[in-house]
Amino acid sequence: MELIQNTPGLTAYLARCDVIDHDHPLVRKTADSLRADAPDAYTYAEAAFTFVRDVIPHSMDAADPRVTWRASDVLAQRTGICYAKAHALAALLRAEGIPAALCYQKFDVLHGLIALKLPGERWARQDPRGNKPGVDAQFRIDREQLAFPVRPEFNEVDYPVLFAEPHPAVLQCLQEAADGPRLQQTLPTDF
């Protein structure tokens, strides 16, 4: 699948916004800590991916009722659903000058992930959702190994658009949900 930027150039995929607040002190501190053992962009990106995937539990898997949406809040509270974890990973990547986009898949509900652009490489999607039995997302540049492959026969869709900021439908559901159970009831099913 050819990935399509919804904004030309890479500047927007490095920018700060209210959600991807990569200038926040906690995001900077986390990025600095990850950078200490990562001598180049590739190893840093893999370390950031692994940190978000493995250290920050998916709130629904952990039965955590808290709803996070801003990258710094995801890092502070150490919880988030797929969208929130994607926001945290995008912020950590952008904090170190690695272009990061938000992208989505459609299953029964939308699933959020990211794409990154390492020097000399094409955009590559990564899924920091978190592994569990039956889910084995890995950091790969040569090919995708996402949490969930789509099944077109079930009307599941890989959307090729790379967003510089979260899709409004995703952000609205996160910001309006009082808790995890309410969030589960209002997850967007499409854009």
Side-chain angles (χ1 to χ4, degrees), residues 11-75:
T11 305
Y13 300 98
L14 291 165
R16 181 218 181 278
C17 66
D18 287 343
V19 178
I20 303 171
D21 56 343
H22 61 72
D23 60 345
H24 187 280
L26 182 55
V27 177
R28 285 292 341 143
K29 180 180 176 183
T30 306
D32 291 345
S33 174
L34 293 169
R35 172 59 83 190
D37 295 323
D40 58 41
Y42 182 93
T43 54
Y44 174 81
E46 184 174 23
F49 168 83
T50 302
F51 175 83
V52 173
R53 183 194 64 193
D54 297 349
V55 174
I56 300 170
H58 188 284
S59 56
M60 289 184 188
D61 291 351
D64 188 329
R66 296 174 294 167
V67 177
T68 55
W69 54 270
R70 184 178 288 114
S72 59
D73 293 338
V74 174
L75 295 176

Side-chain angles (χ1 to χ4, degrees), residues 32-152:
D32 291 345
S33 174
L34 293 169
R35 172 59 83 190
D37 295 323
D40 58 41
Y42 182 93
T43 54
Y44 174 81
E46 184 174 23
F49 168 83
T50 302
F51 175 83
V52 173
R53 183 194 64 193
D54 297 349
V55 174
I56 300 170
H58 188 284
S59 56
M60 289 184 188
D61 291 351
D64 188 329
R66 296 174 294 167
V67 177
T68 55
W69 54 270
R70 184 178 288 114
S72 59
D73 293 338
V74 174
L75 295 176
Q77 295 183 39
R78 297 287 170 104
T79 191
I81 66 167
C82 60
Y83 313 129
K85 291 181 69 157
H87 300 164
L89 180 54
L92 290 171
L93 294 169
R94 290 181 186 187
E96 291 297 319
I98 299 170
L102 302 167
C103 41
Y104 303 94
Q105 296 174 302
K106 181 188 181 306
F107 298 100
D108 291 336
V109 296
L110 289 179
H111 174 61
L113 51 153
I114 67 110
L116 58 84
K117 185 154 182 21
L118 291 169
E121 299 286 344
R122 59 178 172 54
W123 284 101
R125 294 190 308 168
Q126 309 295 328
D127 192 341
R129 180 224 179 272
N131 289 339
K132 62 181 185 174
V135 176
D136 184 29
Q138 299 295 323
F139 184 83
R140 305 283 308 244
I141 299 299
D142 59 333
R143 65 177 176 81
E144 291 185 344
Q145 189 167 338
L146 306 176
F148 308 111
V150 300
R151 300 167 300 172

Side-chain angles (χ1 to χ4, degrees), residues 59-60 63-67 81 173 176-187:
S59 56
M60 289 184 188
D64 188 329
R66 296 174 294 167
V67 177
I81 66 167
C173 93
E176 292 180 357
D179 56 30
R182 178 68 183 145
L183 178 62
Q184 281 186 282
Q185 296 170 353
T186 60
L187 290 171

